[in-house]
Tab-separated table of all heavy atoms in Angstrom:
chain	number	residue	atom	x	y	z
J	1	PHE	N	86.635	87.247	109.904
J	1	PHE	CA	87.406	86.021	109.986
J	1	PHE	C	86.719	85.088	110.863
J	1	PHE	O	85.976	85.434	111.801
J	1	PHE	CB	88.975	86.272	110.336
J	1	PHE	CG	89.157	86.564	111.670
J	1	PHE	CD1	89.298	85.536	112.731
J	1	PHE	CD2	89.213	87.926	112.178
J	1	PHE	CE1	89.561	85.807	114.029
J	1	PHE	CE2	89.361	88.208	113.483
J	1	PHE	CZ	89.623	87.070	114.497
J	2	ILE	N	87.016	83.795	110.623
J	2	ILE	CA	86.760	82.692	111.604
J	2	ILE	C	88.109	82.021	111.942
J	2	ILE	O	88.804	81.589	111.071
J	2	ILE	CB	85.778	81.656	111.055
J	2	ILE	CG1	84.427	82.482	110.567
J	2	ILE	CG2	85.447	80.601	112.001
J	2	ILE	CD1	83.483	81.464	109.795
J	3	TRP	N	88.426	81.899	113.136
J	3	TRP	CA	89.617	81.416	113.696
J	3	TRP	C	89.368	80.226	114.485
J	3	TRP	O	88.887	80.298	115.598
J	3	TRP	CB	90.481	82.489	114.500
J	3	TRP	CG	91.663	82.133	115.125
J	3	TRP	CD1	92.366	80.794	115.046
J	3	TRP	CD2	92.430	82.823	116.108
J	3	TRP	NE1	93.375	80.809	115.795
J	3	TRP	CE2	93.497	81.968	116.578
J	3	TRP	CE3	92.320	84.133	116.675
J	3	TRP	CZ2	94.437	82.530	117.437
J	3	TRP	CZ3	93.191	84.576	117.591
J	3	TRP	CH2	94.195	83.697	117.893
J	4	GLU	N	89.641	79.020	114.005
J	4	GLU	CA	89.269	77.756	114.612
J	4	GLU	C	90.756	77.188	115.254
J	4	GLU	O	91.531	76.897	114.386
J	4	GLU	CB	88.633	76.774	113.739
J	4	GLU	CG	87.222	77.384	113.209
J	4	GLU	CD	86.682	76.444	112.134
J	4	GLU	OE1	87.185	76.441	110.978
J	4	GLU	OE2	85.759	75.641	112.406
J	5	ASN	N	90.674	76.938	116.508
J	5	ASN	CA	91.896	76.314	117.146
J	5	ASN	C	91.712	74.791	117.464
J	5	ASN	O	90.564	74.450	117.915
J	5	ASN	CB	92.150	77.061	118.515
J	5	ASN	CG	92.585	78.539	118.253
J	5	ASN	OD1	93.693	78.768	118.121
J	5	ASN	ND2	91.673	79.424	118.339
J	6	TYR	N	92.682	74.040	117.154
J	6	TYR	CA	92.735	72.692	117.526
J	6	TYR	C	93.893	72.353	118.297
J	6	TYR	O	95.115	72.455	117.591
J	6	TYR	CB	92.556	71.865	116.276
J	6	TYR	CG	91.344	72.060	115.479
J	6	TYR	CD1	91.466	72.962	114.334
J	6	TYR	CD2	90.114	71.603	115.800
J	6	TYR	CE1	90.357	73.284	113.580
J	6	TYR	CE2	88.998	71.918	114.959
J	6	TYR	CZ	89.160	72.786	113.858
J	6	TYR	OH	88.034	73.056	113.211
J	7	TYR	N	93.944	72.003	119.501
J	7	TYR	CA	95.117	71.783	120.325
J	7	TYR	C	95.553	70.285	120.397
J	7	TYR	O	94.706	69.394	120.593
J	7	TYR	CB	94.877	72.261	121.786
J	7	TYR	CG	96.130	72.151	122.576
J	7	TYR	CD1	97.420	72.846	122.334
J	7	TYR	CD2	96.180	71.238	123.617
J	7	TYR	CE1	98.421	72.730	123.052
J	7	TYR	CE2	97.329	71.183	124.405
J	7	TYR	CZ	98.466	71.897	124.103
J	7	TYR	OH	99.647	71.773	124.900
J	8	HIS	N	96.788	69.978	119.944
J	8	HIS	CA	97.278	68.653	120.005
J	8	HIS	C	98.246	68.465	121.278
J	8	HIS	O	99.406	68.946	121.281
J	8	HIS	CB	98.177	68.452	118.736
J	8	HIS	CG	97.345	68.711	117.451
J	8	HIS	ND1	96.443	67.775	116.902
J	8	HIS	CD2	97.358	69.727	116.671
J	8	HIS	CE1	95.953	68.330	115.847
J	8	HIS	NE2	96.469	69.556	115.650
J	9	ALA	N	97.618	67.855	122.207
J	9	ALA	CA	98.169	67.932	123.551
J	9	ALA	C	99.565	67.218	123.629
J	9	ALA	O	100.609	67.663	124.288
J	9	ALA	CB	97.320	67.252	124.653
J	10	ARG	N	99.689	66.103	122.826
J	10	ARG	CA	100.990	65.356	122.958
J	10	ARG	C	102.142	66.189	122.513
J	10	ARG	O	103.314	66.154	123.091
J	10	ARG	CB	100.899	64.036	122.021
J	10	ARG	CG	102.095	63.159	122.296
J	10	ARG	CD	102.025	62.042	121.141
J	10	ARG	NE	100.910	61.183	121.492
J	10	ARG	CZ	101.021	60.032	122.310
J	10	ARG	NH1	102.168	59.816	122.872
J	10	ARG	NH2	99.949	59.366	122.568
J	11	GLU	N	101.863	66.901	121.438
J	11	GLU	CA	103.134	67.742	120.841
J	11	GLU	C	103.046	69.126	121.405
J	11	GLU	O	104.012	69.854	121.016
J	11	GLU	CB	102.995	67.752	119.277
J	11	GLU	CG	102.961	66.478	118.722
J	11	GLU	CD	101.540	65.736	118.568
J	11	GLU	OE1	100.630	66.359	119.034
J	11	GLU	OE2	101.545	64.436	118.097
J	12	HIS	N	102.061	69.539	122.138
J	12	HIS	CA	101.917	70.872	122.557
J	12	HIS	C	101.721	71.833	121.464
J	12	HIS	O	102.169	73.053	121.588
J	12	HIS	CB	103.100	71.328	123.573
J	12	HIS	CG	103.221	70.552	124.864
J	12	HIS	ND1	104.299	70.596	125.692
J	12	HIS	CD2	102.340	69.814	125.493
J	12	HIS	CE1	104.047	69.872	126.721
J	12	HIS	NE2	102.911	69.300	126.657
J	13	VAL	N	101.175	71.413	120.423
J	13	VAL	CA	101.076	72.154	119.203
J	13	VAL	C	99.493	72.607	119.094
J	13	VAL	O	98.624	71.831	119.148
J	13	VAL	CB	101.523	71.394	118.026
J	13	VAL	CG1	101.106	72.115	116.675
J	13	VAL	CG2	103.096	71.276	117.999
J	14	ASN	N	99.459	73.970	118.800
J	14	ASN	CA	98.135	74.571	118.428
J	14	ASN	C	98.005	74.766	116.969
J	14	ASN	O	98.717	75.484	116.345
J	14	ASN	CB	97.957	75.853	119.202
J	14	ASN	CG	96.409	76.318	119.079
J	14	ASN	OD1	95.527	75.626	119.592
J	14	ASN	ND2	96.198	77.449	118.505
J	15	GLU	N	97.031	74.074	116.426
J	15	GLU	CA	96.658	74.307	114.964
J	15	GLU	C	95.569	75.241	114.856
J	15	GLU	O	94.564	75.021	115.530
J	15	GLU	CB	96.231	73.086	114.316
J	15	GLU	CG	95.695	73.135	112.827
J	15	GLU	CD	95.219	71.716	112.325
J	15	GLU	OE1	95.427	70.717	113.009
J	15	GLU	OE2	94.420	71.851	111.375
J	16	TYR	N	95.657	76.419	114.165
J	16	TYR	CA	94.618	77.252	113.890
J	16	TYR	C	94.312	77.442	112.457
J	16	TYR	O	95.225	77.722	111.675
J	16	TYR	CB	94.516	78.528	114.775
J	16	TYR	CG	95.779	79.407	114.575
J	16	TYR	CD1	95.675	80.557	113.738
J	16	TYR	CD2	96.988	79.319	115.366
J	16	TYR	CE1	96.773	81.411	113.631
J	16	TYR	CE2	98.036	80.166	115.229
J	16	TYR	CZ	97.821	81.236	114.336
J	16	TYR	OH	98.839	82.183	114.296
J	17	ASP	N	93.036	77.186	112.090
J	17	ASP	CA	92.644	77.417	110.633
J	17	ASP	C	91.953	78.764	110.658
J	17	ASP	O	90.908	79.077	111.359
J	17	ASP	CB	91.562	76.209	110.326
J	17	ASP	CG	92.254	74.944	110.342
J	17	ASP	OD1	93.490	74.891	110.264
J	17	ASP	OD2	91.603	73.950	110.550
J	18	LEU	N	92.402	79.663	109.646
J	18	LEU	CA	91.720	80.884	109.451
J	18	LEU	C	91.041	80.971	108.250
J	18	LEU	O	91.619	80.746	107.128
J	18	LEU	CB	93.016	81.931	109.408
J	18	LEU	CG	93.679	82.431	110.643
J	18	LEU	CD1	94.882	83.139	110.418
J	18	LEU	CD2	92.679	83.263	111.422
J	19	THR	N	89.847	81.260	108.327
J	19	THR	CA	89.057	81.593	107.126
J	19	THR	C	88.719	83.041	107.009
J	19	THR	O	88.038	83.583	108.020
J	19	THR	CB	87.757	80.703	107.187
J	19	THR	OG1	88.053	79.383	107.259
J	19	THR	CG2	86.896	81.021	105.861
J	20	VAL	N	88.993	83.698	106.056
J	20	VAL	CA	88.947	85.299	106.002
J	20	VAL	C	88.110	85.529	104.673
J	20	VAL	O	88.321	84.908	103.776
J	20	VAL	CB	90.303	85.868	105.931
J	20	VAL	CG1	90.211	87.438	105.746
J	20	VAL	CG2	91.171	85.552	107.055
J	21	PHE	N	87.151	86.493	104.942
J	21	PHE	CA	86.409	87.022	103.893
J	21	PHE	C	86.790	88.568	103.725
J	21	PHE	O	86.592	89.285	104.756
J	21	PHE	CB	84.846	86.910	104.105
J	21	PHE	CG	84.448	85.461	104.398
J	21	PHE	CD1	84.575	84.898	105.537
J	21	PHE	CD2	83.975	84.835	103.243
J	21	PHE	CE1	84.118	83.490	105.792
J	21	PHE	CE2	83.591	83.389	103.343
J	21	PHE	CZ	83.668	82.835	104.691
J	22	ALA	N	87.346	88.944	102.619
J	22	ALA	CA	87.825	90.304	102.503
J	22	ALA	C	87.220	91.015	101.280
J	22	ALA	O	87.115	90.312	100.160
J	22	ALA	CB	89.245	90.339	102.373
J	23	ARG	N	86.792	92.218	101.331
J	23	ARG	CA	86.082	92.888	100.305
J	23	ARG	C	87.177	93.058	99.164
J	23	ARG	O	88.375	93.377	99.434
J	23	ARG	CB	85.655	94.327	100.806
J	23	ARG	CG	84.888	95.135	99.648
J	23	ARG	CD	84.594	96.423	100.188
J	23	ARG	NE	83.757	96.505	101.332
J	23	ARG	CZ	82.456	96.475	101.420
J	23	ARG	NH1	81.820	96.370	100.304
J	23	ARG	NH2	81.857	96.488	102.534
J	24	GLU	N	86.699	92.870	97.983
J	24	GLU	CA	87.592	92.979	96.825
J	24	GLU	C	87.941	94.603	96.597
J	24	GLU	O	87.218	95.441	97.104
J	24	GLU	CB	86.898	92.473	95.474
J	24	GLU	CG	86.628	91.160	95.608
J	24	GLU	CD	87.749	90.179	95.521
J	24	GLU	OE1	88.925	90.693	95.272
J	24	GLU	OE2	87.540	88.960	95.705
J	25	THR	N	88.890	94.859	95.819
J	25	THR	CA	89.349	96.290	95.693
J	25	THR	C	88.258	97.190	95.152
J	25	THR	O	88.062	98.253	95.510
J	25	THR	CB	90.562	96.363	94.726
J	25	THR	OG1	91.624	95.453	95.204
J	25	THR	CG2	91.050	97.747	94.643
J	26	GLN	N	87.433	96.627	94.318
J	26	GLN	CA	86.188	97.406	93.667
J	26	GLN	C	84.979	96.652	93.828
J	26	GLN	O	84.951	95.427	93.729
J	26	GLN	CB	86.497	97.712	92.124
J	26	GLN	CG	87.738	98.584	91.911
J	26	GLN	CD	87.906	98.727	90.437
J	26	GLN	OE1	87.309	98.160	89.600
J	26	GLN	NE2	88.737	99.761	90.115
J	27	GLY	N	83.960	97.346	94.209
J	27	GLY	CA	82.599	96.806	94.290
J	27	GLY	C	82.356	96.202	95.648
J	27	GLY	O	83.027	96.417	96.607
J	28	ASP	N	81.262	95.498	95.823
J	28	ASP	CA	80.806	94.872	97.093
J	28	ASP	C	81.078	93.389	97.117
J	28	ASP	O	80.547	92.710	98.064
J	28	ASP	CB	79.349	95.183	97.199
J	28	ASP	CG	79.020	96.588	97.411
J	28	ASP	OD1	79.845	97.290	97.966
J	28	ASP	OD2	77.915	97.034	96.911
J	29	LEU	N	81.837	92.860	96.280
J	29	LEU	CA	82.148	91.419	96.275
J	29	LEU	C	83.199	91.129	97.333
J	29	LEU	O	84.116	91.975	97.544
J	29	LEU	CB	82.684	90.895	94.906
J	29	LEU	CG	81.598	90.955	93.837
J	29	LEU	CD1	82.278	90.549	92.446
J	29	LEU	CD2	80.481	90.108	94.190
J	30	PHE	N	83.143	90.034	97.963
J	30	PHE	CA	84.088	89.533	99.067
J	30	PHE	C	84.819	88.308	98.543
J	30	PHE	O	84.268	87.351	98.067
J	30	PHE	CB	83.457	89.290	100.293
J	30	PHE	CG	83.108	90.571	101.123
J	30	PHE	CD1	82.058	91.322	100.662
J	30	PHE	CD2	83.773	90.958	102.326
J	30	PHE	CE1	81.711	92.524	101.409
J	30	PHE	CE2	83.504	92.055	102.963
J	30	PHE	CZ	82.455	92.887	102.505
J	31	GLY	N	86.090	88.250	98.628
J	31	GLY	CA	86.886	87.093	98.417
J	31	GLY	C	87.032	86.275	99.630
J	31	GLY	O	87.092	86.751	100.757
J	32	ARG	N	87.193	84.953	99.616
J	32	ARG	CA	87.449	84.033	100.583
J	32	ARG	C	88.667	83.333	100.413
J	32	ARG	O	89.086	82.994	99.345
J	32	ARG	CB	86.226	83.067	100.655
J	32	ARG	CG	86.447	81.901	101.709
J	32	ARG	CD	85.302	80.907	101.690
J	32	ARG	NE	85.385	79.852	102.662
J	32	ARG	CZ	86.233	78.794	102.583
J	32	ARG	NH1	86.888	78.662	101.451
J	32	ARG	NH2	86.192	77.920	103.439
J	33	PHE	N	89.497	83.274	101.567
J	33	PHE	CA	90.831	82.515	101.505
J	33	PHE	C	90.915	81.866	102.859
J	33	PHE	O	90.371	82.283	103.895
J	33	PHE	CB	92.038	83.383	101.007
J	33	PHE	CG	92.177	84.575	102.078
J	33	PHE	CD1	92.974	84.539	103.168
J	33	PHE	CD2	91.767	85.804	101.711
J	33	PHE	CE1	93.163	85.555	103.983
J	33	PHE	CE2	91.955	86.987	102.487
J	33	PHE	CZ	92.713	86.817	103.730
J	34	PHE	N	91.829	80.892	102.777
J	34	PHE	CA	91.937	80.100	103.988
J	34	PHE	C	93.441	79.805	104.284
J	34	PHE	O	94.229	79.610	103.317
J	34	PHE	CB	91.254	78.694	103.697
J	34	PHE	CG	91.456	77.692	104.892
J	34	PHE	CD1	90.626	77.683	105.947
J	34	PHE	CD2	92.394	76.769	104.815
J	34	PHE	CE1	90.699	76.604	106.894
J	34	PHE	CE2	92.447	75.751	105.733
J	34	PHE	CZ	91.618	75.832	106.772
J	35	GLU	N	93.928	79.876	105.450
J	35	GLU	CA	95.267	79.568	105.867
J	35	GLU	C	95.244	78.665	107.187
J	35	GLU	O	94.473	78.857	108.042
J	35	GLU	CB	96.107	80.744	106.060
J	35	GLU	CG	96.482	81.535	104.851
J	35	GLU	CD	97.491	82.679	105.123
J	35	GLU	OE1	98.038	82.743	106.324
J	35	GLU	OE2	97.689	83.393	104.167
J	36	THR	N	96.206	77.718	107.268
J	36	THR	CA	96.419	77.045	108.390
J	36	THR	C	97.773	77.376	109.032
J	36	THR	O	98.806	77.262	108.322
J	36	THR	CB	96.441	75.543	108.189
J	36	THR	OG1	95.085	75.212	107.555
J	36	THR	CG2	96.575	74.710	109.363
J	37	HIS	N	97.876	77.606	110.357
J	37	HIS	CA	99.021	77.924	111.098
J	37	HIS	C	99.150	76.923	112.100
J	37	HIS	O	98.190	76.491	112.761
J	37	HIS	CB	98.904	79.382	111.706
J	37	HIS	CG	98.764	80.477	110.684
J	37	HIS	ND1	99.596	81.629	110.702
J	37	HIS	CD2	98.062	80.650	109.639
J	37	HIS	CE1	99.365	82.317	109.671
J	37	HIS	NE2	98.352	81.765	108.992
J	38	TYR	N	100.476	76.733	112.550
J	38	TYR	CA	100.867	75.889	113.582
J	38	TYR	C	101.752	76.622	114.530
J	38	TYR	O	102.779	77.179	114.113
J	38	TYR	CB	101.489	74.486	113.273
J	38	TYR	CG	100.618	73.755	112.337
J	38	TYR	CD1	100.571	73.849	110.955
J	38	TYR	CD2	99.743	72.835	112.932
J	38	TYR	CE1	99.825	73.059	110.080
J	38	TYR	CE2	98.870	71.964	112.126
J	38	TYR	CZ	98.922	72.033	110.707
J	38	TYR	OH	98.254	71.244	109.908
J	39	GLN	N	101.473	76.599	115.944
J	39	GLN	CA	102.372	77.107	116.920
J	39	GLN	C	102.457	76.120	118.000
J	39	GLN	O	101.467	75.396	118.288
J	39	GLN	CB	101.693	78.386	117.413
J	39	GLN	CG	101.768	79.560	116.474
J	39	GLN	CD	101.361	80.951	117.176
J	39	GLN	OE1	100.652	80.909	118.171
J	39	GLN	NE2	101.898	82.025	116.571
J	40	ARG	N	103.596	76.151	118.640
J	40	ARG	CA	103.990	75.197	119.664
J	40	ARG	C	104.120	75.999	120.980
J	40	ARG	O	104.767	77.077	121.073
J	40	ARG	CB	105.208	74.365	119.504
J	40	ARG	CG	105.564	73.481	120.699
J	40	ARG	CD	106.889	72.800	120.302
J	40	ARG	NE	107.342	72.201	121.643
J	40	ARG	CZ	108.615	71.540	121.781
J	40	ARG	NH1	109.355	71.428	120.576
J	40	ARG	NH2	109.029	71.162	122.820
J	41	GLY	N	103.495	75.494	122.039
J	41	GLY	CA	103.661	76.111	123.400
J	41	GLY	C	104.788	75.626	124.021
J	41	GLY	O	105.248	74.408	123.888
J	42	TYR	N	105.498	76.421	124.836
J	42	TYR	CA	106.713	76.022	125.484
J	42	TYR	C	106.510	76.254	126.981
J	42	TYR	O	105.841	77.399	127.410
J	42	TYR	CB	107.916	76.732	124.939
J	42	TYR	CG	108.318	76.278	123.595
J	42	TYR	CD1	107.876	76.980	122.428
J	42	TYR	CD2	109.157	75.074	123.351
J	42	TYR	CE1	108.184	76.457	121.141
J	42	TYR	CE2	109.380	74.630	122.099
J	42	TYR	CZ	108.952	75.383	121.019
J	42	TYR	OH	109.388	74.888	119.811
J	43	THR	N	107.341	75.596	127.808
J	43	THR	CA	107.277	75.953	129.283
J	43	THR	C	108.587	76.823	129.440
J	43	THR	O	109.517	76.917	128.601
J	43	THR	CB	107.556	74.572	130.070
J	43	THR	OG1	108.981	74.090	129.781
J	43	THR	CG2	106.428	73.552	129.788
J	44	LEU	N	108.578	77.558	130.651
J	44	LEU	CA	109.609	78.386	130.842
J	44	LEU	C	110.931	77.619	131.080
J	44	LEU	O	112.037	78.034	130.589
J	44	LEU	CB	109.414	79.104	132.226
J	44	LEU	CG	110.509	80.082	132.835
J	44	LEU	CD1	110.881	81.075	131.717
J	44	LEU	CD2	110.029	80.792	134.009
J	45	GLU	N	110.951	76.482	131.676
J	45	GLU	CA	112.075	75.645	131.792
J	45	GLU	C	112.705	75.226	130.398
J	45	GLU	O	113.872	75.284	130.330
J	45	GLU	CB	111.671	74.411	132.593
J	45	GLU	CG	112.916	73.461	132.775
J	45	GLU	CD	112.481	72.087	133.622
J	45	GLU	OE1	111.251	71.919	133.833
J	45	GLU	OE2	113.383	71.406	133.977
J	46	GLU	N	111.779	74.911	129.518
J	46	GLU	CA	112.333	74.571	128.174
J	46	GLU	C	113.097	75.650	127.613
J	46	GLU	O	114.238	75.699	127.048
J	46	GLU	CB	111.123	74.054	127.269
J	46	GLU	CG	110.625	72.827	127.605
J	46	GLU	CD	109.321	72.409	126.813
J	46	GLU	OE1	108.534	73.341	126.377
J	46	GLU	OE2	109.211	71.306	126.451
């Protein structure tokens, strides 16, 4: 996998783009898929 992070400081939101290469069920071929996730950081006070 390749996990690329992009932090948006104003919103305290971290965007991470996941690119994954996984072996197919049979043979030596690899499939590629992509997902984008968003997480927000919080302070203890919040």
Side-chain angles (χ1 to χ4, degrees):
F1 75 86
I2 302 171
W3 172 10
E4 299 173 282
N5 293 274
Y6 305 96
Y7 183 64
H8 305 281
R10 182 187 296 273
E11 300 87 3
H12 294 166
V13 169
N14 190 65
E15 171 187 348
Y16 59 95
D17 297 336
L18 281 168
T19 303
V20 177
F21 300 87
R23 188 187 299 274
E24 302 288 353
T25 306
Q26 297 179 347
D28 294 327
L29 295 178
F30 282 72
R32 176 184 180 275
F33 58 86
F34 179 84
E35 288 188 9
T36 297
H37 294 230
Y38 296 92
Q39 290 187 333
R40 177 181 165 188
Y42 289 96
T43 66
L44 176 56
E45 181 181 9
E46 286 174 325

